[in-house]
Amino acid sequence: MDLYLKIASQIKQFFKSDEIIPLEIEGKILRVEVQIPNLEPLNWLARQTSDIKTYWSDRHDRFRVAGIGTVDTISGDLPISYPDVFGQLRQKLSSLFPRVRYYGGIGFSQNNSIDPSWKLFGNYRFVVPRFEIWTDGTDTFFACNFLGNFRSAQWHQELDLILDELIQLDLTQLEIEIELPLQIDRSDLPNRSQWQQNINLALAKFADLNLEKIVLARRSTLTFTKNLQPQALLLLLQPHNAHSYHFCFQIDPTTAFIGTSPERLYYRQDRLLETEAIAGTRQRGISTEIDQQLSDELRNSPKDLHEHQLVVNNLQVILAQLCHTVSIDRHSAILKLHKVQHLYTQCQGILRADLTDAEILPQLHPTPAVGGVPRTQALKLIQELEPFARGWYAAPVGWVGYDDAEFAVAIRSGLVDRDRLLLFAGAGIVTGSQSAAEWTEIENKIRHFTDLFTAPNPAAFRANRSHIEQSG
Protein backbone atom coordinates (compact mmCIF):
# COMPACT_ATOMS: atom_id res chain seq x y z
CA MET A 1 0.00 0.00 0.00
CA ASP A 2 2.94 2.36 0.60
CA LEU A 3 3.76 2.21 -3.12
CA TYR A 4 0.17 3.07 -4.06
CA LEU A 5 0.22 6.04 -1.67
CA LYS A 6 3.54 7.27 -3.07
CA ILE A 7 2.28 7.12 -6.66
CA ALA A 8 -1.11 8.63 -5.82
CA SER A 9 0.57 11.48 -3.92
CA GLN A 10 2.73 12.39 -6.92
CA ILE A 11 -0.26 12.36 -9.27
CA LYS A 12 -2.35 14.53 -6.91
CA GLN A 13 0.52 16.99 -6.55
CA PHE A 14 0.74 17.35 -10.31
CA PHE A 15 -2.98 18.15 -10.62
CA LYS A 16 -2.73 20.75 -7.87
CA SER A 17 0.06 22.52 -9.75
CA ASP A 18 -1.88 22.92 -13.00
CA GLU A 19 -2.07 26.72 -12.56
CA ILE A 20 1.65 27.06 -13.22
CA ILE A 21 1.82 24.53 -16.08
CA PRO A 22 2.76 26.27 -19.37
CA LEU A 23 -0.21 26.89 -21.65
CA GLU A 24 1.70 25.48 -24.63
CA ILE A 25 1.13 21.95 -23.34
CA GLU A 26 -2.65 22.34 -23.32
CA GLY A 27 -3.94 19.32 -25.24
CA LYS A 28 -0.57 17.51 -24.97
CA ILE A 29 0.00 14.16 -23.27
CA LEU A 30 1.42 14.77 -19.80
CA ARG A 31 3.28 12.35 -17.56
CA VAL A 32 3.98 11.72 -13.89
CA GLU A 33 6.88 9.39 -13.07
CA VAL A 34 7.78 7.78 -9.76
CA GLN A 35 10.89 5.69 -9.17
CA ILE A 36 9.92 2.37 -7.62
CA PRO A 37 11.65 -0.81 -6.42
CA ASN A 38 12.65 -3.20 -9.17
CA LEU A 39 9.58 -4.72 -10.83
CA GLU A 40 9.98 -6.93 -13.93
CA PRO A 41 7.78 -5.21 -16.58
CA LEU A 42 6.59 -8.21 -18.59
CA ASN A 43 5.78 -10.32 -15.54
CA TRP A 44 3.89 -7.34 -14.09
CA LEU A 45 1.97 -6.93 -17.34
CA ALA A 46 0.91 -10.58 -17.39
CA ARG A 47 -0.73 -10.18 -13.95
CA GLN A 48 -2.90 -7.20 -14.89
CA THR A 49 -6.57 -7.48 -15.86
CA SER A 50 -6.66 -4.71 -18.47
CA ASP A 51 -8.01 -5.67 -21.90
CA ILE A 52 -5.41 -3.54 -23.72
CA LYS A 53 -1.74 -4.25 -23.00
CA THR A 54 1.48 -3.06 -24.63
CA TYR A 55 5.01 -4.36 -24.25
CA TRP A 56 8.28 -3.32 -25.89
CA SER A 57 11.94 -4.00 -25.17
CA ASP A 58 14.96 -3.10 -27.24
CA ARG A 59 17.61 -5.59 -28.34
CA HIS A 60 20.04 -4.81 -25.55
CA ASP A 61 17.59 -4.71 -22.61
CA ARG A 62 18.45 -1.05 -22.10
CA PHE A 63 14.79 -0.07 -22.35
CA ARG A 64 11.76 -2.17 -21.43
CA VAL A 65 8.23 -0.89 -21.01
CA ALA A 66 4.93 -2.54 -20.12
CA GLY A 67 1.76 -0.49 -20.48
CA ILE A 68 -1.93 -1.02 -19.78
CA GLY A 69 -4.97 0.85 -21.05
CA THR A 70 -4.85 3.87 -23.37
CA VAL A 71 -4.76 7.61 -22.99
CA ASP A 72 -4.78 8.25 -26.71
CA THR A 73 -5.15 6.00 -29.76
CA ILE A 74 -4.40 6.95 -33.35
CA SER A 75 -5.61 4.22 -35.69
CA GLY A 76 -7.31 3.66 -39.01
CA ASP A 77 -8.65 1.06 -41.42
CA LEU A 78 -7.94 3.11 -44.55
CA PRO A 79 -4.45 3.00 -46.11
CA ILE A 80 -2.09 5.16 -44.11
CA SER A 81 -1.22 8.74 -45.00
CA TYR A 82 2.22 9.02 -43.43
CA PRO A 83 2.23 12.84 -43.16
CA ASP A 84 -1.22 12.86 -41.54
CA VAL A 85 -0.54 10.05 -39.06
CA PHE A 86 2.92 11.23 -37.99
CA GLY A 87 1.54 14.76 -37.83
CA GLN A 88 -1.13 13.55 -35.37
CA LEU A 89 1.50 11.74 -33.29
CA ARG A 90 3.69 14.83 -33.18
CA GLN A 91 0.77 17.12 -32.29
CA LYS A 92 0.25 15.60 -28.82
CA LEU A 93 3.91 15.09 -27.89
CA SER A 94 5.91 17.68 -25.96
CA SER A 95 9.60 18.30 -25.34
CA LEU A 96 8.71 18.72 -21.64
CA PHE A 97 7.76 15.03 -21.44
CA PRO A 98 10.31 13.25 -23.69
CA ARG A 99 9.51 9.79 -22.32
CA VAL A 100 5.93 9.88 -23.56
CA ARG A 101 5.80 7.55 -26.54
CA TYR A 102 3.23 6.15 -28.91
CA TYR A 103 3.63 2.38 -29.35
CA GLY A 104 2.21 0.42 -32.26
CA GLY A 105 2.64 -0.57 -35.87
CA ILE A 106 1.61 -0.37 -39.49
CA GLY A 107 0.27 -3.14 -41.72
CA PHE A 108 2.63 -4.68 -44.26
CA SER A 109 0.30 -4.03 -47.21
CA GLN A 110 -1.97 -1.02 -47.03
CA ASN A 111 -5.31 -2.26 -48.37
CA ASN A 112 -8.83 -0.86 -48.29
CA SER A 113 -10.08 -4.31 -47.28
CA ILE A 114 -8.50 -5.74 -44.11
CA ASP A 115 -8.43 -9.50 -43.53
CA PRO A 116 -10.74 -10.52 -40.62
CA SER A 117 -7.79 -11.96 -38.67
CA TRP A 118 -6.23 -8.48 -38.56
CA LYS A 119 -9.39 -6.35 -38.36
CA LEU A 120 -8.75 -5.12 -34.81
CA PHE A 121 -5.25 -3.94 -35.75
CA GLY A 122 -6.30 -1.96 -38.81
CA ASN A 123 -3.84 -0.55 -41.31
CA TYR A 124 -2.13 1.31 -38.46
CA ARG A 125 -2.55 1.67 -34.72
CA PHE A 126 -0.54 3.63 -32.13
CA VAL A 127 -1.38 4.02 -28.43
CA VAL A 128 -0.08 5.86 -25.39
CA PRO A 129 -0.74 3.62 -22.35
CA ARG A 130 -2.45 5.00 -19.25
CA PHE A 131 0.00 3.34 -16.84
CA GLU A 132 3.53 2.07 -17.51
CA ILE A 133 6.23 0.14 -15.73
CA TRP A 134 9.52 0.82 -17.45
CA THR A 135 13.17 0.25 -16.78
CA ASP A 136 16.36 1.64 -18.30
CA GLY A 137 18.38 -1.38 -17.20
CA THR A 138 19.36 0.23 -13.90
CA ASP A 139 16.31 1.94 -12.42
CA THR A 140 12.59 1.13 -12.56
CA PHE A 141 9.79 3.68 -12.79
CA PHE A 142 6.02 3.79 -12.64
CA ALA A 143 4.46 6.30 -15.03
CA CYS A 144 0.96 7.70 -15.45
CA ASN A 145 0.02 9.44 -18.72
CA PHE A 146 -2.97 11.74 -19.26
CA LEU A 147 -4.18 14.49 -21.57
CA GLY A 148 -3.68 18.07 -20.41
CA ASN A 149 -7.17 19.46 -20.91
CA PHE A 150 -6.75 22.29 -18.39
CA ARG A 151 -9.55 24.39 -19.86
CA SER A 152 -12.08 21.57 -19.62
CA ALA A 153 -14.61 21.60 -16.80
CA GLN A 154 -13.90 17.87 -16.36
CA TRP A 155 -10.14 18.38 -15.86
CA HIS A 156 -10.17 17.64 -12.13
CA GLN A 157 -12.57 14.74 -12.63
CA GLU A 158 -9.71 13.11 -14.54
CA LEU A 159 -7.85 12.81 -11.23
CA ASP A 160 -10.65 10.76 -9.68
CA LEU A 161 -10.72 8.47 -12.73
CA ILE A 162 -6.95 7.92 -12.60
CA LEU A 163 -6.98 7.13 -8.88
CA ASP A 164 -9.83 4.66 -9.36
CA GLU A 165 -7.86 2.89 -12.09
CA LEU A 166 -4.67 3.00 -10.03
CA ILE A 167 -6.14 1.15 -7.05
CA GLN A 168 -7.10 -1.76 -9.33
CA LEU A 169 -3.48 -2.42 -10.33
CA ASP A 170 -1.43 -5.29 -8.97
CA LEU A 171 1.92 -3.80 -7.91
CA THR A 172 3.29 -6.87 -6.17
CA GLN A 173 6.48 -8.72 -7.05
CA LEU A 174 4.78 -12.09 -7.56
CA GLU A 175 5.74 -14.18 -10.57
CA ILE A 176 2.97 -15.71 -12.63
CA GLU A 177 2.49 -19.44 -12.97
CA ILE A 178 2.86 -20.48 -16.61
CA GLU A 179 1.03 -23.55 -17.85
CA LEU A 180 0.77 -23.84 -21.61
CA PRO A 181 -2.31 -25.49 -23.14
CA LEU A 182 -1.99 -28.65 -25.21
CA GLN A 183 -1.50 -28.27 -28.95
CA ILE A 184 -4.08 -30.34 -30.84
CA ASP A 185 -3.64 -29.29 -34.48
CA ARG A 186 -1.34 -27.64 -36.99
CA SER A 187 -1.94 -26.49 -40.56
CA ASP A 188 0.42 -24.76 -43.02
CA LEU A 189 -0.60 -22.28 -45.70
CA PRO A 190 0.68 -22.86 -48.31
CA ASN A 191 1.27 -26.57 -47.70
CA ARG A 192 4.42 -28.35 -48.86
CA SER A 193 3.31 -28.97 -52.46
CA GLN A 194 1.80 -25.46 -52.83
CA TRP A 195 5.03 -23.99 -51.47
CA GLN A 196 7.08 -25.75 -54.13
CA GLN A 197 4.64 -24.60 -56.78
CA ASN A 198 4.84 -20.96 -55.60
CA ILE A 199 8.63 -20.94 -55.69
CA ASN A 200 8.67 -22.43 -59.17
CA LEU A 201 6.13 -19.85 -60.34
CA ALA A 202 8.16 -17.02 -58.83
CA LEU A 203 11.45 -18.19 -60.35
CA ALA A 204 9.77 -18.56 -63.75
CA LYS A 205 8.84 -14.86 -63.62
CA PHE A 206 12.26 -13.54 -62.61
CA ALA A 207 13.27 -12.72 -66.19
CA ASP A 208 9.94 -11.20 -67.25
CA LEU A 209 9.65 -9.02 -64.14
CA ASN A 210 13.38 -8.25 -63.92
CA LEU A 211 13.36 -9.71 -60.40
CA GLU A 212 16.54 -10.34 -58.44
CA LYS A 213 14.85 -11.48 -55.23
CA ILE A 214 11.42 -12.13 -53.75
CA VAL A 215 10.56 -13.07 -50.17
CA LEU A 216 7.75 -15.60 -49.92
CA ALA A 217 6.16 -16.32 -46.56
CA ARG A 218 4.17 -19.07 -44.93
CA ARG A 219 1.53 -19.06 -42.19
CA SER A 220 1.45 -21.97 -39.75
CA THR A 221 -1.64 -22.17 -37.56
CA LEU A 222 -1.38 -24.01 -34.24
CA THR A 223 -4.59 -24.84 -32.37
CA PHE A 224 -4.79 -25.53 -28.62
CA THR A 225 -7.17 -26.92 -26.04
CA LYS A 226 -7.82 -23.46 -24.56
CA ASN A 227 -7.02 -19.79 -25.06
CA LEU A 228 -3.39 -18.68 -25.02
CA GLN A 229 -2.02 -15.99 -22.72
CA PRO A 230 0.15 -13.66 -24.87
CA GLN A 231 2.44 -12.34 -22.13
CA ALA A 232 3.05 -15.85 -20.80
CA LEU A 233 4.22 -16.91 -24.26
CA LEU A 234 6.52 -13.91 -24.49
CA LEU A 235 7.92 -14.61 -21.01
CA LEU A 236 8.94 -18.09 -22.21
CA LEU A 237 10.37 -16.76 -25.48
CA GLN A 238 12.33 -13.86 -24.00
CA PRO A 239 15.24 -15.70 -22.32
CA HIS A 240 16.04 -17.64 -25.51
CA ASN A 241 15.96 -14.74 -27.96
CA ALA A 242 18.62 -12.31 -26.85
CA HIS A 243 19.70 -9.51 -29.21
CA SER A 244 16.08 -9.24 -30.32
CA TYR A 245 13.25 -6.78 -29.95
CA HIS A 246 10.41 -8.22 -27.89
CA PHE A 247 6.92 -6.87 -28.40
CA CYS A 248 3.29 -7.54 -27.53
CA PHE A 249 0.36 -5.49 -28.80
CA GLN A 250 -2.76 -6.85 -27.14
CA ILE A 251 -5.93 -5.31 -28.59
CA ASP A 252 -8.56 -7.14 -26.53
CA PRO A 253 -8.54 -9.99 -23.96
CA THR A 254 -8.03 -12.72 -26.58
CA THR A 255 -6.15 -11.02 -29.45
CA ALA A 256 -2.49 -9.98 -29.53
CA PHE A 257 0.46 -9.72 -31.90
CA ILE A 258 3.72 -10.86 -30.30
CA GLY A 259 7.26 -11.41 -31.51
CA THR A 260 11.02 -11.51 -30.93
CA SER A 261 12.48 -9.75 -33.96
CA PRO A 262 16.25 -9.51 -34.47
CA GLU A 263 15.88 -6.89 -37.21
CA ARG A 264 15.86 -3.13 -36.75
CA LEU A 265 14.12 -1.14 -39.46
CA TYR A 266 15.58 2.10 -38.15
CA TYR A 267 16.39 4.09 -35.04
CA ARG A 268 16.33 7.88 -35.15
CA GLN A 269 17.75 10.18 -32.47
CA ASP A 270 17.27 13.75 -33.68
CA ARG A 271 19.16 13.72 -37.04
CA LEU A 272 21.09 10.45 -36.50
CA LEU A 273 19.61 7.52 -38.41
CA GLU A 274 20.69 3.90 -37.80
CA THR A 275 19.56 0.90 -39.83
CA GLU A 276 20.95 -2.47 -40.96
CA ALA A 277 20.88 -5.30 -43.46
CA ILE A 278 19.99 -8.82 -42.27
CA ALA A 279 19.68 -11.53 -44.92
CA GLY A 280 21.10 -14.99 -45.48
CA THR A 281 20.34 -17.74 -42.98
CA ARG A 282 21.71 -20.94 -41.46
CA GLN A 283 20.50 -22.89 -38.46
CA ARG A 284 22.58 -23.04 -35.27
CA GLY A 285 24.82 -26.07 -34.75
CA ILE A 286 24.39 -28.64 -31.99
CA SER A 287 28.06 -28.17 -31.02
CA THR A 288 30.60 -25.33 -31.20
CA GLU A 289 32.41 -27.01 -34.07
CA ILE A 290 29.27 -27.65 -36.12
CA ASP A 291 28.02 -24.12 -35.40
CA GLN A 292 31.29 -22.70 -36.71
CA GLN A 293 31.06 -24.87 -39.83
CA LEU A 294 27.57 -23.52 -40.50
CA SER A 295 28.84 -19.94 -39.97
CA ASP A 296 31.68 -20.53 -42.44
CA GLU A 297 29.25 -22.06 -44.90
CA LEU A 298 27.05 -18.98 -44.62
CA ARG A 299 29.99 -16.60 -45.07
CA ASN A 300 31.05 -18.41 -48.25
CA SER A 301 27.65 -19.20 -49.80
CA PRO A 302 27.28 -17.38 -53.17
CA LYS A 303 23.49 -17.60 -52.89
CA ASP A 304 23.36 -16.09 -49.37
CA LEU A 305 26.06 -13.48 -50.07
CA HIS A 306 24.13 -12.37 -53.15
CA GLU A 307 20.85 -12.21 -51.19
CA HIS A 308 22.53 -10.17 -48.45
CA GLN A 309 24.29 -7.80 -50.86
CA LEU A 310 20.97 -6.97 -52.52
CA VAL A 311 19.75 -5.65 -49.16
CA VAL A 312 22.97 -3.67 -48.57
CA ASN A 313 22.85 -2.14 -52.07
CA ASN A 314 19.22 -1.14 -51.56
CA LEU A 315 20.05 0.60 -48.27
CA GLN A 316 22.94 2.46 -49.88
CA VAL A 317 20.59 3.98 -52.44
CA ILE A 318 17.92 4.89 -49.87
CA LEU A 319 20.35 6.37 -47.33
CA ALA A 320 21.96 8.48 -50.06
CA GLN A 321 18.52 10.02 -50.66
CA LEU A 322 17.72 10.56 -46.97
CA CYS A 323 21.13 11.55 -45.56
CA HIS A 324 23.96 13.94 -46.36
CA THR A 325 26.47 11.63 -44.63
CA VAL A 326 26.35 7.81 -44.89
CA SER A 327 28.47 5.10 -43.24
CA ILE A 328 28.09 1.37 -44.03
CA ASP A 329 30.25 -1.41 -42.60
CA ARG A 330 32.67 -2.73 -45.21
CA HIS A 331 32.38 -6.31 -43.96
CA SER A 332 29.39 -8.29 -42.82
CA ALA A 333 29.10 -9.93 -39.42
CA ILE A 334 27.41 -13.11 -38.29
CA LEU A 335 24.39 -12.46 -36.09
CA LYS A 336 23.92 -15.53 -33.89
CA LEU A 337 20.42 -16.09 -32.51
CA HIS A 338 19.10 -19.04 -30.54
CA LYS A 339 17.87 -21.12 -33.49
CA VAL A 340 19.38 -19.42 -36.56
CA GLN A 341 22.25 -17.18 -37.65
CA HIS A 342 22.30 -14.45 -40.29
CA LEU A 343 24.61 -12.23 -42.30
CA TYR A 344 24.46 -8.75 -40.80
CA THR A 345 25.68 -5.28 -41.87
CA GLN A 346 25.29 -2.04 -39.89
CA CYS A 347 24.46 1.26 -41.62
CA GLN A 348 23.97 4.82 -40.39
CA GLY A 349 23.66 8.37 -41.67
CA ILE A 350 22.97 11.98 -40.74
CA LEU A 351 19.53 12.97 -41.99
CA ARG A 352 18.87 15.95 -44.20
CA ALA A 353 17.36 18.78 -42.17
CA ASP A 354 13.90 18.77 -43.74
CA LEU A 355 13.14 15.05 -43.35
CA THR A 356 10.87 13.45 -40.72
CA ASP A 357 9.69 9.93 -39.86
CA ALA A 358 6.86 10.45 -42.36
CA GLU A 359 9.48 10.39 -45.14
CA ILE A 360 11.90 7.89 -43.58
CA LEU A 361 9.56 4.99 -42.86
CA PRO A 362 7.98 4.55 -46.33
CA GLN A 363 11.43 4.75 -47.89
CA LEU A 364 12.80 1.91 -45.76
CA HIS A 365 9.70 -0.31 -45.58
CA PRO A 366 9.47 -2.96 -46.84
CA THR A 367 13.13 -3.90 -46.92
CA PRO A 368 14.43 -6.39 -49.50
CA ALA A 369 14.78 -8.83 -46.57
CA VAL A 370 10.98 -9.11 -46.36
CA GLY A 371 9.84 -7.88 -49.78
CA GLY A 372 12.24 -8.24 -52.65
CA VAL A 373 14.20 -6.46 -55.39
CA PRO A 374 12.92 -4.50 -57.24
CA ARG A 375 10.37 -3.62 -54.57
CA THR A 376 7.32 -2.83 -56.71
CA GLN A 377 7.50 -5.98 -58.85
CA ALA A 378 8.23 -8.20 -55.85
CA LEU A 379 5.31 -6.86 -53.80
CA LYS A 380 2.92 -7.33 -56.70
CA LEU A 381 3.98 -10.95 -57.11
CA ILE A 382 3.75 -11.57 -53.34
CA GLN A 383 0.13 -10.42 -53.45
CA GLU A 384 -0.54 -12.85 -56.30
CA LEU A 385 1.18 -15.91 -54.80
CA GLU A 386 0.68 -15.78 -51.02
CA PRO A 387 -2.71 -17.29 -50.03
CA PHE A 388 -3.03 -15.31 -46.77
CA ALA A 389 -2.84 -11.73 -45.49
CA ARG A 390 0.45 -10.74 -43.86
CA GLY A 391 -1.25 -8.15 -41.65
CA TRP A 392 1.41 -6.76 -39.31
CA TYR A 393 3.86 -9.60 -40.01
CA ALA A 394 7.13 -8.23 -41.51
CA ALA A 395 5.75 -4.71 -41.05
CA PRO A 396 7.11 -1.81 -38.96
CA VAL A 397 6.37 -2.02 -35.22
CA GLY A 398 7.85 0.23 -32.57
CA TRP A 399 7.49 3.63 -30.95
CA VAL A 400 7.51 7.34 -31.73
CA GLY A 401 8.65 10.00 -29.27
CA TYR A 402 8.97 13.78 -29.45
CA ASP A 403 12.46 13.79 -30.95
CA ASP A 404 13.23 10.12 -31.53
CA ALA A 405 11.69 6.93 -32.91
CA GLU A 406 12.52 3.27 -33.35
CA PHE A 407 10.93 0.59 -35.51
CA ALA A 408 11.69 -3.10 -35.84
CA VAL A 409 10.69 -5.39 -38.68
CA ALA A 410 8.01 -7.66 -37.20
CA ILE A 411 9.51 -11.02 -38.15
CA ARG A 412 9.73 -14.06 -35.80
CA SER A 413 6.18 -13.14 -34.89
CA GLY A 414 2.78 -14.64 -34.24
CA LEU A 415 -0.85 -13.60 -33.93
CA VAL A 416 -2.64 -14.89 -30.82
CA ASP A 417 -6.31 -15.40 -31.65
CA ARG A 418 -8.09 -17.06 -28.71
CA ASP A 419 -7.03 -20.75 -28.88
CA ARG A 420 -4.99 -20.32 -32.06
CA LEU A 421 -1.46 -19.12 -32.71
CA LEU A 422 -0.79 -17.98 -36.28
CA LEU A 423 2.97 -18.07 -36.95
CA PHE A 424 4.56 -16.24 -39.89
CA ALA A 425 7.99 -16.61 -41.49
CA GLY A 426 9.50 -16.01 -44.91
CA ALA A 427 12.44 -17.05 -47.06
CA GLY A 428 14.37 -15.05 -49.63
CA ILE A 429 14.07 -16.57 -53.10
CA VAL A 430 16.81 -15.85 -55.62
CA THR A 431 18.02 -17.67 -58.68
CA GLY A 432 19.17 -21.11 -57.54
CA SER A 433 16.82 -21.34 -54.55
CA GLN A 434 15.47 -24.82 -53.77
CA SER A 435 11.98 -25.20 -52.29
CA ALA A 436 12.99 -27.93 -49.82
CA ALA A 437 15.83 -25.83 -48.38
CA GLU A 438 13.61 -22.76 -48.09
CA TRP A 439 10.90 -24.80 -46.34
CA THR A 440 13.51 -25.99 -43.82
CA GLU A 441 14.70 -22.41 -43.32
CA ILE A 442 11.18 -21.34 -42.37
CA GLU A 443 10.84 -24.30 -40.00
CA ASN A 444 14.01 -23.15 -38.25
CA LYS A 445 12.68 -19.57 -38.02
CA ILE A 446 9.48 -20.61 -36.23
CA ARG A 447 11.14 -23.17 -33.95
CA HIS A 448 11.51 -20.69 -31.10
CA PHE A 449 7.70 -20.82 -30.96
CA THR A 450 7.03 -24.45 -31.86
CA ASP A 451 9.67 -25.79 -29.46
CA LEU A 452 7.70 -24.28 -26.57
CA PHE A 453 4.96 -26.81 -27.11
CA THR A 454 7.16 -29.87 -27.55
CA ALA A 455 9.51 -29.38 -24.59
CA PRO A 456 8.71 -31.54 -21.55
CA ASN A 457 8.86 -28.54 -19.20
CA PRO A 458 8.65 -25.26 -21.15
CA ALA A 459 8.59 -23.03 -18.10
CA ALA A 460 11.93 -24.45 -16.98
CA PHE A 461 13.80 -23.34 -20.13
CA ARG A 462 17.08 -21.61 -19.44
CA ALA A 463 18.47 -18.58 -21.26
CA ASN A 464 20.93 -19.09 -24.07
CA ARG A 465 22.51 -15.75 -24.72
CA SER A 466 23.27 -14.89 -28.33
CA HIS A 467 26.02 -12.68 -29.65
CA ILE A 468 27.56 -11.23 -32.75
CA GLU A 469 30.74 -12.64 -34.22
CA GLN A 470 32.64 -10.31 -36.53
CA SER A 471 33.48 -11.91 -39.84
CA GLY A 472 36.12 -11.08 -42.36
PDB file of all heavy atoms in Angstrom, residues 19 94 177 216 248 299 318 365 372 377 445:
ATOM      1  N   GLU A  19      -2.031  25.277 -12.296  1.00  0.00           N
ATOM      2  CA  GLU A  19      -2.074  26.718 -12.562  1.00  0.00           C
ATOM      3  C   GLU A  19      -0.753  27.237 -13.116  1.00  0.00           C
ATOM      4  O   GLU A  19      -0.720  28.243 -13.844  1.00  0.00           O
ATOM      5  CB  GLU A  19      -2.412  27.499 -11.280  1.00  0.00           C
ATOM      6  CG  GLU A  19      -3.798  27.209 -10.701  1.00  0.00           C
ATOM      7  CD  GLU A  19      -3.816  26.008  -9.782  1.00  0.00           C
ATOM      8  OE1 GLU A  19      -2.759  25.360  -9.642  1.00  0.00           O
ATOM      9  OE2 GLU A  19      -4.884  25.702  -9.221  1.00  0.00           O
ATOM     10  N   SER A  94       5.291  16.440 -26.434  1.00  0.00           N
ATOM     11  CA  SER A  94       5.908  17.675 -25.965  1.00  0.00           C
ATOM     12  C   SER A  94       7.340  17.422 -25.535  1.00  0.00           C
ATOM     13  O   SER A  94       7.652  16.365 -24.969  1.00  0.00           O
ATOM     14  CB  SER A  94       5.115  18.242 -24.784  1.00  0.00           C
ATOM     15  OG  SER A  94       5.835  19.260 -24.109  1.00  0.00           O
ATOM     16  N   GLU A 177       2.348 -18.019 -12.658  1.00  0.00           N
ATOM     17  CA  GLU A 177       2.492 -19.439 -12.970  1.00  0.00           C
ATOM     18  C   GLU A 177       2.163 -19.641 -14.446  1.00  0.00           C
ATOM     19  O   GLU A 177       1.102 -19.214 -14.905  1.00  0.00           O
ATOM     20  CB  GLU A 177       1.533 -20.269 -12.107  1.00  0.00           C
ATOM     21  CG  GLU A 177       1.837 -20.243 -10.621  1.00  0.00           C
ATOM     22  CD  GLU A 177       3.041 -21.126 -10.264  1.00  0.00           C
ATOM     23  OE1 GLU A 177       3.360 -22.024 -11.073  1.00  0.00           O
ATOM     24  OE2 GLU A 177       3.638 -20.900  -9.205  1.00  0.00           O
ATOM     25  N   LEU A 216       9.044 -14.941 -50.060  1.00  0.00           N
ATOM     26  CA  LEU A 216       7.746 -15.605 -49.924  1.00  0.00           C
ATOM     27  C   LEU A 216       7.598 -16.131 -48.501  1.00  0.00           C
ATOM     28  O   LEU A 216       8.548 -16.662 -47.928  1.00  0.00           O
ATOM     29  CB  LEU A 216       7.622 -16.752 -50.927  1.00  0.00           C
ATOM     30  CG  LEU A 216       7.585 -16.330 -52.408  1.00  0.00           C
ATOM     31  CD1 LEU A 216       7.484 -17.554 -53.310  1.00  0.00           C
ATOM     32  CD2 LEU A 216       6.424 -15.380 -52.676  1.00  0.00           C
ATOM     33  N   CYS A 248       4.644  -6.982 -27.676  1.00  0.00           N
ATOM     34  CA  CYS A 248       3.294  -7.535 -27.532  1.00  0.00           C
ATOM     35  C   CYS A 248       2.315  -6.385 -27.649  1.00  0.00           C
ATOM     36  O   CYS A 248       2.372  -5.426 -26.861  1.00  0.00           O
ATOM     37  CB  CYS A 248       3.130  -8.246 -26.187  1.00  0.00           C
ATOM     38  SG  CYS A 248       1.428  -8.811 -25.874  1.00  0.00           S
ATOM     39  N   ARG A 299      29.090 -17.653 -44.596  1.00  0.00           N
ATOM     40  CA  ARG A 299      29.991 -16.601 -45.073  1.00  0.00           C
ATOM     41  C   ARG A 299      30.443 -16.821 -46.518  1.00  0.00           C
ATOM     42  O   ARG A 299      30.774 -15.857 -47.222  1.00  0.00           O
ATOM     43  CB  ARG A 299      31.240 -16.552 -44.193  1.00  0.00           C
ATOM     44  CG  ARG A 299      31.052 -15.981 -42.812  1.00  0.00           C
ATOM     45  CD  ARG A 299      32.412 -15.776 -42.164  1.00  0.00           C
ATOM     46  NE  ARG A 299      32.306 -15.310 -40.790  1.00  0.00           N
ATOM     47  CZ  ARG A 299      32.383 -16.095 -39.731  1.00  0.00           C
ATOM     48  NH1 ARG A 299      32.550 -17.403 -39.896  1.00  0.00           N
ATOM     49  NH2 ARG A 299      32.283 -15.609 -38.521  1.00  0.00           N
ATOM     50  N   ILE A 318      18.904   4.170 -50.684  1.00  0.00           N
ATOM     51  CA  ILE A 318      17.919   4.887 -49.869  1.00  0.00           C
ATOM     52  C   ILE A 318      18.591   5.885 -48.940  1.00  0.00           C
ATOM     53  O   ILE A 318      18.160   7.044 -48.821  1.00  0.00           O
ATOM     54  CB  ILE A 318      17.067   3.891 -49.066  1.00  0.00           C
ATOM     55  CG1 ILE A 318      16.190   3.067 -50.019  1.00  0.00           C
ATOM     56  CG2 ILE A 318      16.197   4.615 -48.042  1.00  0.00           C
ATOM     57  CD1 ILE A 318      15.452   1.940 -49.344  1.00  0.00           C
ATOM     58  N   HIS A 365      10.606   0.833 -45.609  1.00  0.00           N
ATOM     59  CA  HIS A 365       9.699  -0.311 -45.575  1.00  0.00           C
ATOM     60  C   HIS A 365       8.984  -0.478 -46.907  1.00  0.00           C
ATOM     61  O   HIS A 365       8.495   0.491 -47.475  1.00  0.00           O
ATOM     62  CB  HIS A 365       8.661  -0.141 -44.476  1.00  0.00           C
ATOM     63  CG  HIS A 365       7.522  -1.139 -44.574  1.00  0.00           C
ATOM     64  ND1 HIS A 365       7.701  -2.466 -44.248  1.00  0.00           N
ATOM     65  CD2 HIS A 365       6.242  -1.015 -45.010  1.00  0.00           C
ATOM     66  CE1 HIS A 365       6.554  -3.114 -44.468  1.00  0.00           C
ATOM     67  NE2 HIS A 365       5.662  -2.256 -44.930  1.00  0.00           N
ATOM     68  N   GLY A 372      11.494  -7.752 -51.502  1.00  0.00           N
ATOM     69  CA  GLY A 372      12.243  -8.240 -52.652  1.00  0.00           C
ATOM     70  C   GLY A 372      12.882  -7.094 -53.411  1.00  0.00           C
ATOM     71  O   GLY A 372      12.813  -5.929 -53.008  1.00  0.00           O
ATOM     72  N   GLN A 377       7.799  -4.708 -58.179  1.00  0.00           N
ATOM     73  CA  GLN A 377       7.498  -5.978 -58.848  1.00  0.00           C
ATOM     74  C   GLN A 377       7.377  -7.124 -57.844  1.00  0.00           C
ATOM     75  O   GLN A 377       6.500  -7.988 -57.965  1.00  0.00           O
ATOM     76  CB  GLN A 377       8.577  -6.302 -59.886  1.00  0.00           C
ATOM     77  CG  GLN A 377       8.597  -5.354 -61.070  1.00  0.00           C
ATOM     78  CD  GLN A 377       9.554  -4.193 -60.865  1.00  0.00           C
ATOM     79  OE1 GLN A 377       9.589  -3.590 -59.788  1.00  0.00           O
ATOM     80  NE2 GLN A 377      10.347  -3.896 -61.892  1.00  0.00           N
ATOM     81  N   LYS A 445      13.043 -20.913 -38.485  1.00  0.00           N
ATOM     82  CA  LYS A 445      12.678 -19.575 -38.024  1.00  0.00           C
ATOM     83  C   LYS A 445      11.501 -19.582 -37.062  1.00  0.00           C
ATOM     84  O   LYS A 445      11.369 -18.668 -36.239  1.00  0.00           O
ATOM     85  CB  LYS A 445      12.382 -18.671 -39.222  1.00  0.00           C
ATOM     86  CG  LYS A 445      13.627 -18.274 -40.006  1.00  0.00           C
ATOM     87  CD  LYS A 445      13.282 -17.438 -41.219  1.00  0.00           C
ATOM     88  CE  LYS A 445      14.549 -16.992 -41.945  1.00  0.00           C
ATOM     89  NZ  LYS A 445      14.245 -16.239 -43.181  1.00  0.00           N
TER      90      LYS A 445
END
